[in-house]
Structure formats: C-alpha cells, structure tokens
Amino acid sequence: NNGIRPSPCRPSAPSSSLSRWEVIETEELRRSRWRSIRVLYLTMFLSSVGFSIVIMSIWPYLQKIDASADAGFLGWVIAAFSLGQMVASPLFGLWSNHRPRKEPLVVSISISVAANCLYAYVHAPPSHNKFYMLAARGLVGFGAGNVAVVRSYISGATSLQERTGSMASTSACQALGFILGPAIQTCFSFVGEEGVTWAAVGLQLNMYTAPVLLAALLGLLNILVVVALLREHRVDDLGRLCKSVNVGAGNDRDAPGPVDHVAVVATNVLFFVILFVFALFETIVTPLTMDMYAWTRERAVFYNGLILAALGVESVAVFLGVKVLSRRTGERAVLLGGLLLVLAGFFILLPWGHRLPAVQWEDLRNGSAPTGPPGERAGAGSPRDGREATGCPAAQAWCLYTPVVHLAQYLTADALVGLGYPACNVMAYTLYSKILGPSPQGVYMGWLTASGSGARVLGPVFVSQVYTGLGPRWAFGSVCGLLLLTLALLAAVHPRLVAFSLRRRTA
C-alpha cells in the first residue's frame, strides 16, 4: 500500500460492510501484517534495552564524571527518561493519526540514537557534566515516546481474538528489554573504567560508554528494519481487511456499548503501581549493594548485571508460564499472585538484626565516627590513598544505626520480584485489552503509556530521596504499604475486571 495508512473503514450499515472490508485475508497479506507487528515487537524491545542497558552503571558513571552528584540527583537522571517519554508519547501519537506511522517511528528512533551518542560524551565538558547526563537520558526517553504509535498500530492491525495475545507479547517484549538490558551491560564490565581512548574523536570507550554506543547501533539497525519491512495494515474486530485508503482519518471503531471506565481507571492505577515499584527497584539496587556490601563501582555493575541477567532468564519462563496458567486460573488470579510475590520480595528486604554496614573510610577521615560496637559492624574500610571509597557514606546518618540488608535477603528479594513483576506486567495489559473490547484503543493506550511513564518518573525520585534521607527501612516499608493498598484496590474492583463481551452478556 506504498506507506499510505488505511482508514478505519467503519461500515455505516450492515449492507455496506462488504464494500468496506475484505472478507478473506490472503496468506501473503497475513504474512505481511504479522511481519509488521513483529517489527514493532522488536522496536519495543530495543526501546526498553536503550533505557536499561546503562541502568546499573548510571550511578557509578555519574560519580566518576561529576563528584557533586548525589543519590538524590541520580533519581532525577533515571526519571528523566520517563519524563521525556511521557511528554513525547501524545505528540508522536497525534503525528501517527495524520501521517504514515513510519515517519514518527523513524524520527523517534533517530532521536534516541543521537541521545545515546551524547551520553557517550558527557565526560568531555569541563563542568556541569551531571546536567549533560540528565539531558541525554531525557532525550533517550523522548525518542521512546513511540510506544503510543506502536500500541495503536497493533490495536488496529489485529482482530479482537488476536489482540489480547498481541498486547501480551508487546508487553513481554517491553518487560524483557527492561530486564535483559543490564545483562548486556555486564558484558562490557570487562572493559573497565578506563578502557581505551579514541583521541581523534575525543571518545573514552569504557564500561560506561560502550553499552550506549551499542544501543545507538541497534537503533540504526531498527530504523533500517522499520523502513524495509513495516507496512500499514488495518483489520476490523473480526479480522477482515480494510480496502479503502484515507490518510488522516480517525481510528475509531464502532463499539456496541460503553466501556467500564471504573475498570479502565483501576487498571491504570494498578499498572502505575507495578511500573512504580519496578522502576524503584531498578534504581536502588546499585546504591544499596554499594552501601551494604562495600562493593566498588565496577563490582556493583558486574554483580548486579549478573543478577539481573538471571532474572531475565527467570522472566522468560514467567512469560511462557503465565499464558498457560491464566487459562486455568484467569488473568485476575495471576495478577493477584504477582502482586503478592512482589510484596513478599520488598518485605524480605527490610533490615533486621544487629550487624551494621561498613562506613566509608573517606567519611571517617573527615571526622565522622561510627556508632555501635565495632565487632558488630560489617568491616568499615581503612584509609588507603588512591583507592575508591567503599561502604555506606557516613553523610547518610542512617548508616550509623540501620542494620545491614544481608546478601541472602537481597538475592531472595531479587528472585521474588523477578517472578512477580513480569506476571503483573503481562496480565495488566491483557486485562486492559479485554476490558476495552472493540472500543477505540489509541487514546486509552495513551493513558496507559502516560501512567507507566509517570510511574517511572516518580519511582526513582521517591526511592532516591527516601533512601538517602531515611534509609532502607522507610524506603522498603513504604513500598510494602503501597502494595497493600494496591491489593485492597484489586479486591474492590475484582468483579469489574472482566472482558467487554462477558460484561455485555451479563449486564
């Protein structure tokens, strides 16, 4: 169809439906339609990888390039991605309503490529380096605003029977990218902090910059795939192809009744909490392990990358398992189980006992003194010139009296959150798609994107501020309280979280 987007082709009457819709889809057209959908699965995955491929190294890289940056600023750097995405999503969505979807997709991916290149050079300016990093991550997020374009395309290119599985697969690709990105980062930890310098272009190729350059390369390949393979397709709820072509037409479909907006709002809230909690978890793991176990920046990136790589394998098994499990128990039961697993993970992270974390020897040299019996402290470091300061900074007052989070606690919590998050993510999208039914999903998916982006803005900021000022007890205890309220909400709206067609039959 030469890149021209078909109109929604809403039949004005049953007698006109055959003149507007193809009754039979040829095998060639079916292959083209699903090839295009899979191209967008890839786009979602790579967009998520672009976010998470540096998530484990942002904090040590930020410390390396700008000594004035603290854990509070780290929250803003990580939140900048989602803030950019939240601003860009409606803009790209509006663009895609009036032009072929290739255009906003190519432009958005190009912005992400340029932003990743900027991130690789944030060490170069003589001052204010942390603000350059903030800008780079915000632009990467702005480029990721094509999520609304992707979801509206998939909504329009699938029948009602296909849509739930397609939305679940899209969600799985997105979540898998968030989880596997740090595993790719781990592969570059062997390059080291110094790496090699390419003087001709002023580039330091090290464990911090190599991952984003790989993300930029993958973005260029993604552009080529979109241009070469993406075609515009439109089907109705029964899977019949649209024959007429009209760029700029709306994307509404005839709906046989109103959508349950209480269920829609509740699902948006549930999705917000799911993304909020996981964004918070991703943000805090590196500072937490550096504080609790006196890991260096390099060790923190390497070990946490390995842990999240294992979680990536775990999540793949979850994605495969929940589709089977949901057929037996229903999506609502799987969502409930996922939330309970995440709650258990954060509850386990609460500090207990008498052993205290090591205090950075750099802070001790400057006059701070730890409290508590030395034998019950997890080995405070001694001053050694030329070595990186490790341990819990004495500037964080809670380091002097809060018990250490044991490594076994941390690993157990990782495993539980790794089980619960992907199950929640997939089931939230699946329920949302079924609740909407044949109603126009472009605007609704924009709301869901905005709620997820808002969660990724607030989660890192919240946890970095609370963790820095009050410590892990308040940070993780607050998350447990939020999850309990979320479970109460799920119980209250449980009867309404049903498929549109089922609600219509029982109304």
Side-chain angles (χ1 to χ4, degrees):
N1 49 27
N2 299 321
I4 304 300
R5 185 161 62 88
S7 72
C9 302
R10 289 175 292 171
S12 57
S15 61
S16 66
S17 63
L18 293 182
S19 65
R20 295 286 188 134
W21 299 94
E22 294 279 3
V23 177
I24 299 175
E25 180 181 39
T26 65
E27 185 62 29
E28 181 181 356
L29 287 173
R30 177 177 174 81
R31 285 199 300 267
S32 175
R33 180 164 65 93
W34 280 101
R35 185 186 305 119
S36 298
I37 291 172
R38 292 183 182 108
V39 166
L40 297 182
Y41 290 165
L42 175 66
T43 300
M44 288 290 282
F45 173 76
L46 293 180
S47 176
S48 299
V49 169
F51 164 78
S52 62
I53 198 170
V54 296
I55 198 71
M56 291 295 101
S57 64
I58 286 180
W59 175 234
Y61 189 34
L62 186 60
Q63 290 180 308
K64 180 179 174 64
I65 65 171
D66 197 324
S68 66
D70 57 14
F73 193 82
L74 169 68
W76 289 108
V77 171
I78 295 177
F81 175 95
S82 297
L83 184 60
Q85 187 181 52
M86 186 167 58
V87 171
S89 292
L91 299 178
F92 286 125
L94 180 62
W95 187 351
S96 71
N97 283 343
H98 298 280
R99 297 291 300 171
R101 290 183 176 91
K102 280 185 182 179
E103 293 180 9
L105 285 173
V106 169
V107 170
S108 61
I109 298 170
S110 299
I111 291 173
S112 293
V113 170
N116 279 322
C117 292
L118 172 62
Y119 185 93
Y121 280 94
V122 296
H123 65 275
S127 62
H128 305 298
N129 304 79
K130 64 183 182 181
F131 295 106
Y132 288 102
M133 180 182 284
L134 182 70
R137 292 303 291 169
L139 287 172
V140 171
F142 193 90
N146 55 30
V147 170
V149 181
V150 171
R151 293 198 180 278
S152 65
Y153 180 98
I154 293 175
S155 175
T158 54
S159 67
L160 190 61
Q161 184 177 5
E162 296 168 333
R163 200 173 310 141
T164 298
S166 297
M167 288 298 176
S169 296
T170 306
S171 174
C173 289
Q174 187 179 33
L176 192 60
F178 285 138
I179 294 172
L180 292 183
I184 300 174
Q185 157 77 65
T186 303
C187 299
F188 291 98
S189 62
F190 298 101
V191 179
E193 281 196 306
E194 299 305 322
V196 295
T197 301
W198 191 357
V201 294
L203 175 65
Q204 291 181 5
L205 192 64
N206 54 33
M207 61 185 286
Y208 305 125
T209 61
V212 294
L213 293 176
L214 174 62
L217 176 61
L218 293 175
L220 292 174
L221 294 175
N222 193 13
I223 291 173
L224 295 177
V225 171
V226 167
V227 171
L229 300 179
L230 184 66
R231 299 292 182 268
E232 297 288 341
H233 291 279
R234 179 76 182 178
V235 301
D236 72 349
D237 285 344
L238 299 178
R240 297 174 298 180
L241 293 180
C242 179
K243 294 195 295 184
S244 63
V245 175
N246 182 13
V247 174
N251 60 352
D252 291 345
R253 295 177 177 177
D254 290 335
V259 173
D260 185 348
H261 287 96
V262 173
V264 168
V265 172
T267 308
N268 273 273
V269 173
L270 291 170
F271 187 71
F272 175 90
V273 173
I274 292 164
L275 269 292
F276 179 90
V277 169
F278 190 71
L280 177 153
F281 181 77
E282 282 187 318
T283 303
I284 205 61
V285 291
T286 299
L288 177 70
T289 52
M290 291 176 69
D291 290 347
M292 293 294 152
Y293 315 126
W295 287 353
T296 62
R297 292 190 293 265
E298 190 169 346
R299 289 179 69 188
V301 170
F302 177 72
Y303 289 144
N304 283 310
L306 287 179
I307 290 169
L308 289 186
L311 296 187
V313 175
E314 182 183 35
S315 68
V316 171
V318 173
F319 292 140
L320 296 175
V322 292
K323 291 184 179 181
V324 177
L325 184 62
S326 63
R327 294 193 193 104
R328 299 183 178 182
T329 65
E331 289 88 357
R332 294 175 295 181
V334 176
L335 177 59
L336 173 61
L339 286 172
L340 289 173
L341 286 171
V342 175
L343 173 61
F346 277 93
F347 182 78
I348 287 173
L349 275 177
L350 293 173
W352 56 273
H354 302 288
R355 189 182 182 206
L356 301 177
V359 172
Q360 281 189 17
W361 53 258
E362 185 175 65
D363 294 314
L364 294 175
R365 262 195 315 195
N366 292 336
S368 300
T371 60
E376 295 183 357
R377 187 172 296 277
S382 58
R384 294 183 183 179
D385 293 336
R387 291 193 60 184
E388 175 188 342
T390 60
C392 200
Q396 296 176 167
W398 58 264
C399 293
L400 304 177
Y401 57 80
T402 300
V404 69
V405 176
H406 298 278
L407 185 59
Q409 288 178 261
Y410 174 64
L411 295 177
T412 303
D414 284 342
L416 291 173
V417 173
L419 281 173
Y421 167 71
C424 291
N425 188 291
V426 172
M427 288 303 105
Y429 270 119
T430 302
L431 280 170
Y432 197 64
S433 179
K434 288 190 174 183
I435 290 167
L436 294 177
S439 298
Q441 296 199 7
V443 173
Y444 289 107
M445 288 299 170
W447 292 351
L448 202 65
T449 300
S451 67
S453 298
R456 287 194 167 275
V457 171
L458 296 178
V461 174
F462 168 82
V463 72
S464 59
Q465 298 296 331
V466 174
Y467 176 82
T468 302
L470 301 174
R473 275 180 172 162
W474 280 95
F476 303 143
S478 299
V479 173
C480 290
L482 175 63
L483 288 169
L484 288 173
L485 291 175
T486 305
L487 288 169
L489 172 64
L490 179 59
V493 300
H494 184 272
R496 309 185 77 134
L497 301 182
V498 295
F500 181 91
S501 57
L502 179 61
R503 182 174 65 86
R504 292 287 295 170
R505 287 199 301 266
T506 58

